[in-house]
Amino acid sequence: MAGGLSVPQVFFGDEHVGGADSVCGMSVDEVRRRVAAAEPAKDERLRKPETPPVPKPKASGRNMEVIAVGKKDYTYLELAVKLRNALVRRDTTIGCTTYKHVATPDAILRCLQSTEKQLINKLIDIGILLQPTKGLYGLTSESEPNVLNRFRRWTDRVDAPMVVLSALKERLNQMKSKYRSEDGKVDYASLSMDPNWPGLLESLCELQKIRLQDLAPPLRKAFVINTYNLCITVAFAQVGIASSSLKRLAFFNEVMIDVGGDLYSFNDLENGVLRGNRKAPYSLSIPFGKGDRRLGAVMECDKRVHFALNCGAASCPPVKQFTSESIDVELDIVASAFCESDGNVHYDPKTNELTLSQIFKWYSQDFSPTPALISFLISVTRNGKRTALQSARRAPTIKHFPYSWETDASSSRTYAGPRSTQVTTEAAKL
């Protein structure tokens, strides 16, 4: 509305005055005169609200069903944590197949101090145990370690998509604050050992019931961006941080989130859903092939999303919270903020050199050819930078800034790739 990147932005009626500095530069008498002379705003967004603000939706109460085991009642979360911490699992070989990290029914009942055999079936029904193979049981939370929300199969109520993410973000931020030092660094290794971490992983499983294909485009776009940014932080704590270029490629392709019953990697969310199913940088194939049901979630490529997604690196755009109601305005703002920074976009009219973030190089398909790139930069910049770009008489020489992959971690695990814990076969070993 104002085109400004800071707050507050001041209006007298429909007239945009500027920011705080502009108002502070006026005398008291001038402010009073202009306020008195201003006509009532025609733009309803500038009018005084006639109704109280609508409260921000909050997560509804969990069902928190309990299971009686012996003389004690356990919530689903408590049972899952108890089994993960206390159940003895072993690698068991039957014939030529080795089943990893599995337990017998007797071992499960001993762990829970129960003799009720029907308890095993209940644990399967609520998604804590996997279906048995050869009479052996594995934990859902260990079935696919590269899937962030496999703590259990979600059987609780399901809130509206953005309410789910808002509650998760608030919970994660509260936990992160406990492990953030004065210099802003986060101890992700300790965060993953926090007593409340399993509860966050369980709550993340609610995403299993939200289908991207069912969301309207504005909601889907905001939801996917927020999910990506949230889950990067979860992944840093849960599976670790990649330490090399090859490991980073693996991280973005192998770490998964179950959304609506479909598995999405970070590359799938970015390049498959948000970029119109285009190849990721250094990839030879598109994310979703013919017949992939995730094609129903693909959206038209929006180049502005590159300034909204944060992969955890220092050179990434800052993390913002996006809404379905204002996603277009919010993307305009983050694109302008990113490109206004001389550390991301710098034009020297004397040498006609344009130095850009590596993001523009990696995703050149979205910004090319050069005239289209310049037009985009002119549309999202202002004042001196915009004027200089408009005045360029020929195509500039394009260079790129180094990209810093430094993260905000003071301590973390190193990402080592997915580690299946279920089945290995002797044939596979050979």
Side-chain angles (χ1 to χ4, degrees), residues 244-250 252-253 267 270-271 275 278-287 357-365 400-403 405:
S244 67
S245 296
L246 286 177
K247 286 296 184 184
R248 275 191 289 273
L249 286 173
F252 291 114
N253 279 314
N267 270 339
E270 178 178 10
N271 303 293
R275 292 187 61 232
R278 295 184 174 186
K279 294 178 183 178
Y282 310 111
S283 177
L284 299 177
S285 60
I286 58 176
S357 163
Q358 291 281 344
I359 288 174
F360 292 94
K361 179 179 180 181
W362 295 330
Y363 300 99
S364 58
Q365 179 184 3
H400 296 91
F401 293 110
Y403 203 82
W405 287 102

Side-chain angles (χ1 to χ4, degrees), residues 95-116:
C96 293
T97 302
T98 298
Y99 301 89
K100 307 194 73 175
H101 289 202
V102 291
T104 63
D106 288 342
I108 296 169
L109 294 176
R110 280 197 303 272
C111 175
L112 298 177
Q113 298 180 329
S114 173
T115 58
E116 303 173 23

Side-chain angles (χ1 to χ4, degrees), residues 66 144 157 165 169 185 189 205 215 255 266 306 331 374 384:
V66 297
E144 295 174 279
R157 57 80 186 120
L165 289 182
K169 182 178 177 63
K185 296 291 187 179
C205 293
L215 306 183
V255 179
F266 291 112
H306 297 302
L331 287 175
I374 302 302

